[in-house]
Amino acid sequence: MMLITLKEMLGEAQKNGYAVGAFNTNNMEIVQAIVESAEEERAPVILQASQGGLKYAGIEYITAMVKAAAKKAKVPVALHLDHGTSFEQIMLCIRHGFSSVMIDGSKLPLEENIALTAKVVEAAGPVGVSVEGELGKIGGTEDDISVDEKDALFTNPQEAQMFVEKTGVDALAIAIGTAHGPYKGEPKLDFDRLEEIKKRVTIPLVLHGASGVPNESICRAIELGICKINIDTDIRQAFARAVKQVIAEHPQEFDPRKILGPTKVEMKEIIKTKMKLFRCSAKA
Ligand code: G3H
Ligand code: 13P
Ligand code: ZN
């Protein structure tokens, strides 16, 4: 199958009340684990490349690996740029065949975030590439966050409405209490805020930092309008667990295939469990 856009994929998810998993990839084993999981679950899937992923593997390798996997796959696959940093990087990804991009202007003042995101939409839209924007700060650990801090960091519903109207983005990443990386305590999501945002914004909403978020919170977030869920850390941890286990059990092993092969089994277990949880299994 050809790569499909985020807009198309998330449109279906929104209509049918599920979320699509967006999994970060950095190498061949991760690409294969994600796409094999999607095929076994018959789930649409998003493979995304972060800044670190692009730096590590190189844009040529990332795009070639994902396109090769998508071509063979019998399920819809999207290739997405995660946390895009500049207009130039977005153009580079479009030239390399990404079917969707995220422009993360969340560190900029609101008006500058709007201007940059609108510029990206204006360039990407006509060539059939979808755009995810971000409003609010999905930062590090947000345990014991105060009410004042919440208002400063989390997505403001009125601003979200204005942001979507002014930029024309296809999907919006929001800050409602999740954070990237492993959590120290249990993350508490601000569902009232999500409901307020959902009342004002009709496009699909995106949840970042979803590794380690309790299942019940994920289910509630989907019920309240989250249509794309980003997972990276859970996959990294599965990968690392498998490598450590092989090395511990077979310290003399030096064949990369014997060391890395088992990571796929461990990663697929996690990915398939997420797909079931997101209710995107059997939707392709
Ligand atoms: O959103 C961030 C990713 O989870 C990790 O980014 O690959 O650049 O470390 P990185
Ligand atoms: P986690 O690493 O916390 O799963 O977050 C992934 C993410 O949001 C990528 O953009
Ligand atoms: Zn993220």
Side-chain angles (χ1 to χ4, degrees):
M1 270 196 192
M2 289 221 336
L3 291 172
I4 81 154
T5 67
L6 201 66
K7 189 174 179 175
E8 204 180 324
M9 213 179 250
L10 299 189
E12 281 299 304
Q14 194 171 41
K15 221 167 40 197
N16 296 295
Y18 62 90
V20 182
F23 303 98
N24 285 70
T25 185
N26 295 287
N27 66 16
M28 183 192 76
E29 284 75 14
I30 306 178
V31 168
Q32 290 178 339
I34 297 169
V35 176
E36 284 173 25
S37 299
E39 293 226 86
E40 287 166 30
E41 286 297 315
R42 289 199 298 113
V45 71
I46 300 159
L47 286 90
Q48 54 188 17
S50 68
Q51 298 306 304
L54 289 174
K55 213 189 254 173
Y56 174 75
I59 192 165
E60 290 83 5
Y61 282 86
I62 291 280
T63 47
M65 286 189 296
V66 175
K67 282 183 198 171
K71 200 169 158 194
K72 274 178 61 187
K74 290 177 197 69
V75 294
V77 175
L79 170 57
H80 179 72
L81 170 67
D82 192 26
H83 295 283
T85 50
S86 67
F87 184 76
E88 292 68 32
Q89 182 179 54
I90 300 285
M91 293 302 109
L92 186 70
C93 288
I94 293 176
R95 280 203 293 278
H96 277 84
F98 279 60
S99 59
S100 71
V101 290
M102 173 182 189
I103 178 71
D104 181 356
S106 63
K107 289 185 190 71
L108 299 171
L110 179 61
E111 286 307 324
E112 287 176 40
N113 187 2
I114 291 174
L116 175 61
T117 307
K119 188 175 164 193
V120 167
V121 171
E122 203 181 311
V127 292
V129 172
S130 310
V131 180
E132 174 184 338
E134 178 174 326
L135 191 62
K137 299 198 173 48
I138 304 157
T141 51
E142 270 142 7
D143 297 337
D144 303 325
I145 198 159
S146 72
V147 174
D148 283 358
E149 281 170 326
K150 260 192 191 177
D151 277 333
L153 298 171
F154 289 7
T155 308
N156 174 298
Q158 283 94 337
E159 285 181 3
Q161 181 176 357
M162 180 178 73
F163 184 87
V164 170
E165 284 168 3
K166 288 194 172 176
T167 60
V169 277
D170 301 296
L172 180 68
I174 54 171
I176 53 167
T178 55
H180 294 115
Y183 289 96
K184 288 195 190 110
E186 186 175 295
K188 302 244 176 335
L189 273 59
D190 188 343
F191 292 115
D192 292 343
R193 189 175 297 262
L194 173 53
E195 263 187 293
E196 278 310 305
I197 296 168
K198 185 62 198 161
K199 276 186 204 155
R200 293 165 177 272
V201 169
T202 55
I203 60 166
L205 300 172
V206 182
L207 189 69
H208 284 243
S211 295
V213 174
N215 290 355
E216 315 76 67
S217 299
I218 293 287
C219 290
R220 183 100 183 98
I222 296 170
E223 278 163 23
L224 294 175
I226 292 290
C227 298
K228 171 177 180 273
I229 302 185
N230 287 10
I231 297 283
D232 187 1
T233 300
D234 280 336
I235 297 180
R236 294 179 186 207
Q237 289 176 332
F239 183 95
R241 243 188 342 264
V243 170
K244 285 177 196 165
Q245 192 178 335
V246 176
I247 301 289
E249 286 171 7
H250 308 282
Q252 308 304 327
E253 186 56 68
F254 59 83
D255 183 341
R257 297 164 297 191
K258 301 248 172 69
I259 298 170
L260 296 182
T263 65
K264 276 176 63 179
V265 179
E266 194 86 12
M267 290 189 284
K268 280 175 71 175
E269 214 174 292
I270 293 287
I271 296 165
K272 287 165 76 172
T273 305
K274 297 291 174 191
M275 286 171 167
K276 288 185 183 88
L277 176 65
F278 301 165
R279 298 205 290 262
C280 61
S281 292
K283 297 298 194 307

